[in-house]
């Protein structure tokens, strides 16, 4: 009998981590490599946030915290939801966890019984299906189309719902496509959910602040207040405040669900890091102007990358509304051959060929459940992005 639990046999290793490791190995072997595979802002955590953490250490805020989080942070989260999303959550309806990932995981562990289904629009963040599988549920990927901006359509949602559906998992702006739903697009989806009272919505809003042009961010419970009693609105400081290493995520939802997650977390990690929680109070309540400044830089990079990729032979790259990813299609490159005689049959072959020929690391679409595409993270210096796009163009031109 195998010693390792069956639940883990269902899980795949993270493709993004695998690509990052391969790029690292090639670099160590002396190759000149550009990695566009990372999922974190290249900016540093703002100084006022760092100082709040130092002050917390000096005040002796170094002990266990309540499982659901320190009261000032839970208050700040409730105020953030009111201020930015027009959502009336009480502090008692909030939970703080060790990163957004932890919150999502615990929401699934706290609610999923064997056979329960979770609808996940594809392309999706690599971790979603595996989290559902570990919790004993069945991920139900629903393909979206590039022509529809990689957004779930109401008819497709209606068709995917069964009596076993527990959650619809939405992520806007999306990792990996950057797609973000407008108020009207979300309303079309929440209208479907109103007809299916057993389905809850888990909305991963972690890229909320990374939106471009005049796009307005919206979240399901704001668009359809009648869904508030079956919505978990998840967010975190990792991406908006460049705090990936601090490991703070949070959510708000019905008290019954928050209580279940409290019980689970109490037997698991307990409260999140006390110092990171105090830093997050400063993130949510301190000056917010740097977000707009960084957003502008990301937007310029998005425009550069989209324009340069659309000039590459065989690639089609929509301009997404948010996050720091683009998700070009390489469908026209399938069936072509590299100068070394290697045939490109899949997006994985495309990505491997690009890494080998030009030293540019990107992640294949098959990892995100929809291809042939690949994901580029543009959370990298503009000059490096320019260089990488020239190399991608050269690789595409070399295919015949
Ligand atoms: C869509 C999405 N949700 C959640 C997370 C996890 O965020 P955290 O670092 O707060 O765990 C990520 C990080 O890559 C993400 O891309």
């Amino acid at each position: 009998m195998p010693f390792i639990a069956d639940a883990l046999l269902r899980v795949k290793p993270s493709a993004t981590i695998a690509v990052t490791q391969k790029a690292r190995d090639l670099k160590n072997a002396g190759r000149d490599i550009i990695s566009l595979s990372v999922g974190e802002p290249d900016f540093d955590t703002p100084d006022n946030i760092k100082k709040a953490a130092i002050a917390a250490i000096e005040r002796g805020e170094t002990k266990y915290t309540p499982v659901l989080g320190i009261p000032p942070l839970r208050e700040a989260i409730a105020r953030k939801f009111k201020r930015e999303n027009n959502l009336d959550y009480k502090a008692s309806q909030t939970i703080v966890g060790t990163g957004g990932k932890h919150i999502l995981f615990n929401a699934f562990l706290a609610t999923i019984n064997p056979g329960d289904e979770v609808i996940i629009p594809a392309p999706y963040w690599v971790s979603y299906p595996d989290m559902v599988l570990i919790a004993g549920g069945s991920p139900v990927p629903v393909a979206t189309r590039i022509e529809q901006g990689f957004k779930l359509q109401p008819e497709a949602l209606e068709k995917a719902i069964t009596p076993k559906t527990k959650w619809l998992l939405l992520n806007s702006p999306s990792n990996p496509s950057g797609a973000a739903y407008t108020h009207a697009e979300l309303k079309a989806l929440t209208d479907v959910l109103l007809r299916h009272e057993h389905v809850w919505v888990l909305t991963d809003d972690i890229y909320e602040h990374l939106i471009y042009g005049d796009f307005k961010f919206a979240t399901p419970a704001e668009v359809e207040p009648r869904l508030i009693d079956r919505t978990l609105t998840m967010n975190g400081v990792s991406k908006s405040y460049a705090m990936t290493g601090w490991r703070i995520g949070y959510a708000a939802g019905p008290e019954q669900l928050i209580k279940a997650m409290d019980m689970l977390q109490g037997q698991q990690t307990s409260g999140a890091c006390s110092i990171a929680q105090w830093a997050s109070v400063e993130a949510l309540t301190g000056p917010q102007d740097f977000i707009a400044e960084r957003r502008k830089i990301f937007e310029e990079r998005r425009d550069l990358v989209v324009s340069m990729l659309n000039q590459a032979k065989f690639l089609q790259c929509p301009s997404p509304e948010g996050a720091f990813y683009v998700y070009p299609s390489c469908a026209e490159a399938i069936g072509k051959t590299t100068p070394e005689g290697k045939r490109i049959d899949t997006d994985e072959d495309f990505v491997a060929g690009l890494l080998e020929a030009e030293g540019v690391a990107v992640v294949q679409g098959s990892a995100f459940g929809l291809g042939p595409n690949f994901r580029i993270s543009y959370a990298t210096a503009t000059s490096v992005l320019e260089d990488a796009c020239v190399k991608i163009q050269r690789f595409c031109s070399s295919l015949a």
Side-chain angles (χ1 to χ4, degrees), residues 39 99-101 104 125 128 171 175 204 206-207 234 238-239 244 247-248 325:
K101 204 176 212 174
L104 293 166
W125 180 39
Y128 292 149
N171 172 218
N175 176 5
D204 177 345
I206 202 143
Y207 293 98
M234 173 254 158
S238 297
K239 316 284 177 173
T244 46
R247 311 308 303 130
I248 296 291
Y325 308 105

Side-chain angles (χ1 to χ4, degrees), residues 357-370:
E358 294 288 350
V360 176
V362 299
V363 187
Q364 66 276 13
S366 49
F368 307 101
L370 192 92

Side-chain angles (χ1 to χ4, degrees), residues 278-299:
W278 282 103
S280 301
V281 171
E282 174 63 19
L284 293 181
T285 60
Q288 305 287 308
D289 26 317
F290 73 93
I291 293 179
E293 288 158 25
R294 292 179 178 188
R295 189 189 286 148
K296 200 165 158 281
I297 297 171
F298 276 132
E299 182 168 350

Side-chain angles (χ1 to χ4, degrees), residues 2-3 11 57 99 307 338:
F3 187 65
V11 170
I57 295 174
S307 154
T338 66

Side-chain angles (χ1 to χ4, degrees), residues 5 13 17 36 60 130 137 143 150 152 223 249 261-262 274 280 283 292 300 306 348 368 370 380 388:
I17 292 176
L36 304 180
D130 294 297
F150 299 112
L152 178 65
V223 166
M261 291 170 72
D262 179 16
S274 59
S280 301
E300 284 164 10
V306 168
E348 227 170 319
F368 307 101
L370 192 92
T380 297

Side-chain angles (χ1 to χ4, degrees), residues 47-60:
D47 280 346
N48 62 309
I49 299 175
K50 290 183 184 171
K51 284 189 183 130
I54 294 164
I57 295 174
E58 285 171 352
R59 280 199 313 278

